[in-house]
Amino acid sequence: MTEPAPLNGFGPLISFILSISALRDWAKLLIIGSFFETCRRLLATVWSSTIDSFFLTASFEDHDDSYKWMMIWLSKQPSWKNVRNVNISTGERYSGNVPDSEGESDTSGMPKVCYLPALSGSYTLWYKYRWMRITRVSEPIPGWGPNHRDSLNISIFTRNHDILNTILQDAKKAYQDAQGSSITVYISDSANCWRELATRRKRPLDSIILDPGIRELVVEDAQDFLASKKWYAERGIPFRRGYLLYGAPGSGKTSLIHSIAGELELDVYIISLSRSGLDDTGLSELISDLPERCIALMEDIDAALHNSLSREDTPTPPNQTAEFIPSSPRTPTHTTSKVSLSGLLNALDGIGAQEGRILFATTNKYSSLDPALCRPGRMDLHVEFKLASRYQADELFKRFYLPSSPKTPADDDQEPKSNPAQSHLNGSICDGGSTDLIDLGVPDDVADSPPSSPSACSEKSERAALTYTGTRHRGHAPKLSSDQLSALAAQFASAIPEREVSMAALQGYLMSQKSRPSEAAREVSAWLQKELATKKAQNETKS
Ligand SMILES: Nc1ncnc2c1ncn2[C@@H]1O[C@H](COP(=O)(O)OP(=O)(O)OP(=O)(O)O)[C@@H](O)[C@H]1O
């Protein structure tokens, strides 16, 4: 009897499996499927390596400035006009990005409309004879804070990297042009990331009236610093500069920083030391994440470090606002900030501190600052801001009533016309006041009243009974010749005692006399008496 041969090796096993028809079909399917899948993968690899070698792909994420540049640049491309699927935005973030009819700027005061690439949309454009594909995607991100992140991907049909540099330079320029006369203000969020807060119109430097030489000192110093990167590098000195502006409230510290930012074309990054949740590590992160050329601003640095301190000096008059910095820590009595002095010192000039930044710190309590914080290297230039001098009062008056720069006929239409009859009305006939040599303007709300009618008087006295604080915004100042302006300014300044009231208070007073320069000069003594008496009473209450 012959014994069955033992099943040695795989051959018989395979023969056995193939002898079962179902398994045979399954094996065929497996082999064919594997073949096609391998081909597919091979083709995909060949395709992506072809794409890689012929296309240049760049990705821009929305937390980076380049994303904004690209969005604005895209909307300015001629072929963008043919795009059929866009997102409309009226936000400030892309202001200047206004592809409206034939590029005319919108003067209506309405928000500007921006056409942005739609989310999850793909576009093809031609740029300098190069074909490019643009995709904007939004991806969810886990955790707190913003729950999605946008990015813009651009693939350009080219093997030359230079085109990307050209696009980036063009995009940056388009962004700067769009920014034009504004600066961007950033603030940190709870995740210690910088986020854009607002754009602000540049403030002309000559609108800041300081004693002669002070403004020039700070501006020229900062300009010289920015131009000296090589000098610092050669000497191994950290390329950073700090300015400490200290002194009376309402004397122009914040306003000067605003102007300098515009003059030097730098964005402002507000470091709010009293922000709840901010600790030493967070502060270091924020400072090391600053861009290379920027202004870092710490307002009321004394109050932020000594949470129990409150501001003792005269508060800013109700009609004054911190126009530039929306979130300045005005009265930080108690905060949950955990920033310590040593944490601040390390953040300012520690190993992670950003190079190229200009730090501005402001305080009303210079003497309470720790000497370590004020030493050169941290705060290189200390500039005192005092209460108003007569010189400043004179200049403020002149600037305040300076006739507006050349106007268009449209401006003329909008401006209240002054005629002798109306001037008479505005010259306060009710209180027996007389008009001056000056061609007085008329407040808008009385311009329609019949001239010198008794009802005008009674209406005026009724209005006087209204209860409100602050100053109403009404009317335009009359046009003054330069001699008239100088004479009134001198009269005004001579009534102002040296260093007793702040510039902010003087500005507030002038606002209350916005359309009445001669009254402003004449009545300033009476206002001052009241102002100084109030200040004295406040000081007595405190002490
Ligand atoms: N020297 C000045 N020249 C022109 N305007 C001034 C000057 N000082 C103050 N002002 C005006 O007063 C207002 C308040 O000024 P600003 O906020 O710059 O003062 P500050 O010194 O920063 O005050 P604080 O210490 O209270 O923050 C602004 O509207 C500004 O236009």
Side-chain angles (χ1 to χ4, degrees):
M1 234 176 103
T2 54
E3 289 188 10
L7 291 174
N8 287 334
F10 283 109
L13 178 65
I14 290 172
S15 315
F16 171 71
I17 291 172
L18 291 180
S19 67
I20 304 168
S21 73
L23 283 178
R24 195 173 55 236
D25 292 346
W26 177 83
K28 272 188 206 161
L29 272 179
L30 182 74
I31 291 165
I32 294 169
S34 310
F35 173 75
F36 279 110
E37 176 60 17
T38 311
C39 289
R40 192 190 66 77
R41 289 191 186 191
L42 208 66
L43 275 176
T45 316
V46 170
W47 173 250
S48 75
S49 55
T50 312
I51 295 280
D52 283 352
S53 53
F54 288 103
F55 281 81
L56 191 61
T57 304
S59 179
F60 302 88
E61 305 226 325
D62 69 347
H63 57 83
D64 195 86
D65 281 351
S66 56
Y67 179 87
K68 276 185 292 178
W69 307 347
M70 291 307 296
M71 293 289 257
I72 288 183
W73 176 82
L74 266 178
S75 69
K76 301 226 177 258
Q77 294 310 301
S79 40
W80 189 250
K81 288 188 178 149
N82 304 326
V83 164
R84 320 287 308 162
N85 174 20
V86 287
N87 263 16
I88 305 289
S89 165
T90 55
E92 263 193 359
R93 197 170 175 211
Y94 302 105
S95 61
N97 166 21
V98 197
D100 51 11
S101 56
E102 307 316 319
E104 283 170 17
S105 60
D106 179 10
T107 52
S108 66
M110 295 295 284
K112 292 177 175 180
V113 177
C114 319
Y115 300 158
L116 305 173
L119 276 175
S120 311
S122 283
Y123 307 89
T124 43
L125 293 182
W126 287 90
Y127 175 74
K128 297 203 171 169
Y129 308 110
R130 303 296 197 306
W131 183 89
M132 61 168 74
R133 183 157 196 81
I134 291 138
T135 328
R136 186 176 164 210
V137 286
S138 179
E139 284 168 5
I141 43 174
W144 295 100
N147 51 14
H148 64 273
R149 172 162 292 166
D150 288 2
S151 61
L152 198 66
N153 300 317
I154 299 189
S155 300
I156 313 164
F157 186 68
T158 180
R159 301 192 63 164
N160 184 356
H161 270 239
D162 291 347
I163 190 74
L164 188 60
N165 289 339
T166 314
I167 290 179
L168 278 174
Q169 277 165 12
D170 276 7
K172 190 174 176 188
K173 177 144 190 335
Y175 177 75
Q176 281 169 343
D177 291 348
Q179 286 284 302
S181 55
S182 56
I183 55 169
T184 310
V185 182
Y186 294 83
I187 196 158
S188 63
D189 60 20
S190 52
N192 288 331
C193 294
W194 288 111
R195 93 182 148 71
E196 192 177 314
L197 179 71
T199 49
R200 289 279 174 267
R201 188 170 278 277
K202 287 179 184 171
R203 179 170 175 162
L205 253 184
D206 57 7
S207 74
I208 314 296
I209 302 157
L210 300 172
D211 286 325
I214 295 188
R215 197 177 61 202
E216 292 74 14
L217 170 84
V218 185
V219 177
E220 282 165 18
D221 189 284
Q223 275 167 338
D224 191 61
F225 164 74
L226 288 174
S228 311
K229 186 171 181 179
K230 194 160 165 255
W231 188 93
Y232 277 80
E234 283 166 359
R235 284 153 188 80
I237 303 171
F239 184 46
R240 293 189 280 266
R241 191 123 181 111
Y243 298 88
L244 179 60
L245 310 188
Y246 67 94
S251 54
K253 300 182 286 299
T254 309
S255 306
L256 181 66
I257 298 166
H258 180 176
S259 286
I260 290 179
E263 184 71 17
L264 304 182
E265 303 199 332
L266 299 175
D267 289 333
V268 176
Y269 289 73
I270 301 174
I271 302 174
S272 179
L273 295 176
S274 52
R275 175 169 66 70
S276 83
L278 184 68
D279 59 10
D280 292 349
T281 319
L283 181 64
S284 289
E285 275 170 24
L286 279 180
I287 291 188
S288 61
D289 283 350
L290 286 170
E292 195 182 318
R293 276 168 61 97
C294 72
I295 286 183
L297 172 62
M298 293 182 186
E299 280 223 286
D300 292 329
I301 198 164
D302 57 292
L305 286 173
H306 305 90
N307 290 339
S308 56
L309 288 185
S310 64
R311 304 193 31 162
E312 287 169 7
D313 302 293
T314 316
T316 309
N319 51 354
Q320 296 299 309
T321 51
E323 63 195 53
F324 171 41
I325 307 302
S327 59
S328 69
R330 297 274 93 182
T331 49
T333 44
H334 293 288
T335 73
T336 48
S337 165
K338 297 181 203 123
V339 175
S340 66
L341 178 62
S342 67
L344 174 61
L345 300 182
N346 286 332
L348 287 183
D349 59 2
I351 194 91
Q354 180 56 278
E355 300 259 312
R357 59 106 184 110
I358 294 180
L359 171 72
F360 274 97
T362 68
T363 180
N364 300 125
K365 295 181 170 42
Y366 184 58
S367 55
S368 73
L369 292 185
D370 193 288
L373 183 60
C374 304
R375 73 145 167 79
R378 292 196 179 109
M379 303 290 171
D380 302 278
L381 200 61
H382 301 196
V383 184
E384 183 177 8
F385 284 62
K386 297 181 182 162
L387 291 171
S389 64
R390 283 209 180 98
Y391 165 81
Q392 284 177 287
D394 186 288
E395 291 293 313
L396 181 71
F397 190 96
K398 284 188 201 148
R399 188 164 179 95
F400 196 89
Y401 293 109
L402 191 73
S404 301
S405 45
K407 293 180 297 175
T408 61
D411 289 336
D412 281 335
D413 291 340
Q414 282 166 12
E415 208 146 282
K417 304 266 188 308
S418 56
N419 65 43
Q422 288 169 326
S423 302
H424 183 56
L425 217 175
N426 191 43
S428 46
I429 57 170
C430 296
D431 57 25
S434 66
T435 54
D436 287 319
L437 309 167
I438 301 161
D439 175 20
L440 292 169
V442 185
D444 294 336
D445 52 353
V446 295
D448 296 332
S449 311
S452 63
S453 71
S455 65
C457 267
S458 59
E459 196 185 330
K460 217 175 165 187
S461 41
E462 267 172 35
R463 284 181 191 174
L466 287 173
T467 308
Y468 61 90
T469 55
T471 53
R472 289 182 64 192
H473 199 280
R474 40 189 261 174
H476 290 254
K479 271 197 193 133
L480 303 174
S481 71
S482 60
D483 286 349
Q484 288 169 330
L485 189 59
S486 303
L488 286 177
Q491 185 187 351
F492 175 77
S494 65
I496 307 290
E498 285 282 336
R499 315 286 182 204
E500 296 223 11
V501 280
S502 70
M503 286 293 277
L506 288 182
Q507 183 183 275
Y509 168 71
L510 293 181
M511 284 296 290
S512 72
Q513 306 283 0
K514 185 168 162 273
S515 55
R516 310 188 319 148
S518 41
E519 283 81 352
R522 207 171 44 231
E523 293 166 14
V524 65
S525 303
W527 168 80
L528 254 175
Q529 273 177 4
K530 268 199 233 157
E531 183 76 9
L532 294 177
T534 315
K535 204 169 165 185
K536 198 171 161 206
Q538 279 171 348
N539 287 343
E540 279 168 4
T541 321
K542 272 180 208 148
S543 55

mmCIF file of all heavy atoms in Angstrom, residues 283 305 339-350 370-375 378:
data_model
loop_
_atom_site.group_PDB
_atom_site.id
_atom_site.type_symbol
_atom_site.label_atom_id
_atom_site.label_comp_id
_atom_site.label_asym_id
_atom_site.label_seq_id
_atom_site.Cartn_x
_atom_site.Cartn_y
_atom_site.Cartn_z
ATOM 1 N N LEU A 283 4.497 86.851 29.476
ATOM 2 C CA LEU A 283 5.084 88.131 29.075
ATOM 3 C C LEU A 283 6.337 87.904 28.220
ATOM 4 O O LEU A 283 6.533 88.558 27.194
ATOM 5 C CB LEU A 283 5.423 88.950 30.325
ATOM 6 C CG LEU A 283 6.029 90.316 30.063
ATOM 7 C CD1 LEU A 283 5.041 91.224 29.341
ATOM 8 C CD2 LEU A 283 6.475 90.972 31.363
ATOM 9 N N LEU A 305 2.615 97.389 37.849
ATOM 10 C CA LEU A 305 3.462 96.565 38.719
ATOM 11 C C LEU A 305 3.082 96.662 40.185
ATOM 12 O O LEU A 305 3.451 95.834 40.981
ATOM 13 C CB LEU A 305 4.930 96.973 38.550
ATOM 14 C CG LEU A 305 5.538 96.486 37.231
ATOM 15 C CD1 LEU A 305 6.913 97.060 37.040
ATOM 16 C CD2 LEU A 305 5.590 94.970 37.197
ATOM 17 N N VAL A 339 2.384 89.331 36.793
ATOM 18 C CA VAL A 339 3.712 89.724 36.320
ATOM 19 C C VAL A 339 4.494 90.324 37.481
ATOM 20 O O VAL A 339 4.013 91.194 38.192
ATOM 21 C CB VAL A 339 3.582 90.758 35.173
ATOM 22 C CG1 VAL A 339 4.947 91.249 34.761
ATOM 23 C CG2 VAL A 339 2.854 90.150 34.012
ATOM 24 N N SER A 340 5.705 89.803 37.688
ATOM 25 C CA SER A 340 6.544 90.351 38.749
ATOM 26 C C SER A 340 7.588 91.273 38.131
ATOM 27 O O SER A 340 7.817 91.233 36.904
ATOM 28 C CB SER A 340 7.242 89.211 39.486
ATOM 29 O OG SER A 340 8.143 88.587 38.605
ATOM 30 N N LEU A 341 8.201 92.065 38.984
ATOM 31 C CA LEU A 341 9.213 92.985 38.466
ATOM 32 C C LEU A 341 10.348 92.209 37.802
ATOM 33 O O LEU A 341 10.787 92.548 36.701
ATOM 34 C CB LEU A 341 9.749 93.854 39.618
ATOM 35 C CG LEU A 341 10.841 94.828 39.208
ATOM 36 C CD1 LEU A 341 10.338 95.836 38.193
ATOM 37 C CD2 LEU A 341 11.423 95.539 40.405
ATOM 38 N N SER A 342 10.790 91.126 38.470
ATOM 39 C CA SER A 342 11.913 90.389 37.871
ATOM 40 C C SER A 342 11.491 89.752 36.554
ATOM 41 O O SER A 342 12.271 89.680 35.607
ATOM 42 C CB SER A 342 12.460 89.350 38.843
ATOM 43 O OG SER A 342 11.488 88.361 39.036
ATOM 44 N N GLY A 343 10.227 89.324 36.474
ATOM 45 C CA GLY A 343 9.727 88.760 35.214
ATOM 46 C C GLY A 343 9.765 89.809 34.114
ATOM 47 O O GLY A 343 10.151 89.527 32.981
ATOM 48 N N LEU A 344 9.383 91.035 34.465
ATOM 49 C CA LEU A 344 9.387 92.106 33.473
ATOM 50 C C LEU A 344 10.819 92.428 33.037
ATOM 51 O O LEU A 344 11.106 92.567 31.845
ATOM 52 C CB LEU A 344 8.720 93.345 34.076
ATOM 53 C CG LEU A 344 8.762 94.605 33.219
ATOM 54 C CD1 LEU A 344 8.051 94.398 31.890
ATOM 55 C CD2 LEU A 344 8.134 95.779 33.950
ATOM 56 N N LEU A 345 11.727 92.508 34.035
ATOM 57 C CA LEU A 345 13.118 92.841 33.693
ATOM 58 C C LEU A 345 13.704 91.793 32.755
ATOM 59 O O LEU A 345 14.360 92.114 31.770
ATOM 60 C CB LEU A 345 13.977 92.946 34.960
ATOM 61 C CG LEU A 345 13.536 94.006 35.968
ATOM 62 C CD1 LEU A 345 14.480 94.054 37.160
ATOM 63 C CD2 LEU A 345 13.440 95.375 35.306
ATOM 64 N N ASN A 346 13.454 90.519 33.071
ATOM 65 C CA ASN A 346 13.980 89.449 32.214
ATOM 66 C C ASN A 346 13.375 89.487 30.827
ATOM 67 O O ASN A 346 14.059 89.270 29.836
ATOM 68 C CB ASN A 346 13.691 88.068 32.827
ATOM 69 C CG ASN A 346 14.604 87.822 33.993
ATOM 70 O OD1 ASN A 346 15.718 88.355 34.019
ATOM 71 N ND2 ASN A 346 14.149 87.051 34.968
ATOM 72 N N ALA A 347 12.075 89.762 30.787
ATOM 73 C CA ALA A 347 11.410 89.782 29.473
ATOM 74 C C ALA A 347 11.967 90.906 28.607
ATOM 75 O O ALA A 347 12.107 90.761 27.398
ATOM 76 C CB ALA A 347 9.903 89.949 29.651
ATOM 77 N N LEU A 348 12.312 92.038 29.258
ATOM 78 C CA LEU A 348 12.756 93.185 28.471
ATOM 79 C C LEU A 348 14.120 92.983 27.842
ATOM 80 O O LEU A 348 14.352 93.379 26.709
ATOM 81 C CB LEU A 348 12.794 94.451 29.355
ATOM 82 C CG LEU A 348 11.442 95.030 29.715
ATOM 83 C CD1 LEU A 348 11.613 96.303 30.513
ATOM 84 C CD2 LEU A 348 10.632 95.312 28.458
ATOM 85 N N ASP A 349 15.045 92.382 28.604
ATOM 86 C CA ASP A 349 16.370 92.222 27.999
ATOM 87 C C ASP A 349 16.955 90.836 28.217
ATOM 88 O O ASP A 349 18.167 90.646 28.144
ATOM 89 C CB ASP A 349 17.339 93.301 28.494
ATOM 90 C CG ASP A 349 17.503 93.259 29.992
ATOM 91 O OD1 ASP A 349 16.888 92.378 30.612
ATOM 92 O OD2 ASP A 349 18.239 94.099 30.532
ATOM 93 N N GLY A 350 16.074 89.871 28.447
ATOM 94 C CA GLY A 350 16.551 88.486 28.582
ATOM 95 C C GLY A 350 16.940 87.927 27.230
ATOM 96 O O GLY A 350 16.849 88.596 26.199
ATOM 97 N N ASP A 370 11.214 101.184 39.994
ATOM 98 C CA ASP A 370 12.423 100.549 40.478
ATOM 99 C C ASP A 370 13.612 100.990 39.606
ATOM 100 O O ASP A 370 13.505 100.992 38.375
ATOM 101 C CB ASP A 370 12.246 99.028 40.365
ATOM 102 C CG ASP A 370 13.312 98.298 41.131
ATOM 103 O OD1 ASP A 370 14.486 98.301 40.664
ATOM 104 O OD2 ASP A 370 12.985 97.739 42.180
ATOM 105 N N PRO A 371 14.746 101.338 40.240
ATOM 106 C CA PRO A 371 15.896 101.797 39.434
ATOM 107 C C PRO A 371 16.329 100.756 38.405
ATOM 108 O O PRO A 371 16.803 101.110 37.322
ATOM 109 C CB PRO A 371 16.999 102.018 40.478
ATOM 110 C CG PRO A 371 16.284 102.163 41.776
ATOM 111 C CD PRO A 371 14.993 101.423 41.672
ATOM 112 N N ALA A 372 16.148 99.467 38.728
ATOM 113 C CA ALA A 372 16.568 98.431 37.769
ATOM 114 C C ALA A 372 15.779 98.533 36.465
ATOM 115 O O ALA A 372 16.298 98.236 35.394
ATOM 116 C CB ALA A 372 16.363 97.046 38.383
ATOM 117 N N LEU A 373 14.536 98.964 36.576
ATOM 118 C CA LEU A 373 13.702 99.068 35.382
ATOM 119 C C LEU A 373 14.118 100.265 34.530
ATOM 120 O O LEU A 373 13.990 100.248 33.302
ATOM 121 C CB LEU A 373 12.236 99.221 35.823
ATOM 122 C CG LEU A 373 11.170 99.269 34.747
ATOM 123 C CD1 LEU A 373 11.184 98.002 33.920
ATOM 124 C CD2 LEU A 373 9.801 99.463 35.368
ATOM 125 N N CYS A 374 14.653 101.278 35.226
ATOM 126 C CA CYS A 374 14.945 102.537 34.520
ATOM 127 C C CYS A 374 16.372 102.583 33.982
ATOM 128 O O CYS A 374 16.751 103.561 33.355
ATOM 129 C CB CYS A 374 14.759 103.724 35.461
ATOM 130 S SG CYS A 374 13.139 103.789 36.176
ATOM 131 N N ARG A 375 17.157 101.567 34.273
ATOM 132 C CA ARG A 375 18.574 101.696 33.898
ATOM 133 C C ARG A 375 18.753 101.638 32.376
ATOM 134 O O ARG A 375 17.918 101.064 31.665
ATOM 135 C CB ARG A 375 19.397 100.611 34.587
ATOM 136 C CG ARG A 375 19.212 99.229 34.018
ATOM 137 C CD ARG A 375 20.520 98.454 34.073
ATOM 138 N NE ARG A 375 20.332 97.042 33.832
ATOM 139 C CZ ARG A 375 20.171 96.520 32.622
ATOM 140 N NH1 ARG A 375 20.099 97.282 31.552
ATOM 141 N NH2 ARG A 375 20.050 95.209 32.481
ATOM 142 N N ARG A 378 17.477 99.231 29.396
ATOM 143 C CA ARG A 378 16.034 98.949 29.474
ATOM 144 C C ARG A 378 15.273 100.212 29.079
ATOM 145 O O ARG A 378 14.454 100.183 28.189
ATOM 146 C CB ARG A 378 15.655 98.491 30.878
ATOM 147 C CG ARG A 378 16.238 97.128 31.213
ATOM 148 C CD ARG A 378 15.587 96.486 32.420
ATOM 149 N NE ARG A 378 16.162 95.180 32.667
ATOM 150 C CZ ARG A 378 16.960 94.872 33.695
ATOM 151 N NH1 ARG A 378 17.264 95.777 34.611
ATOM 152 N NH2 ARG A 378 17.448 93.657 33.816
#
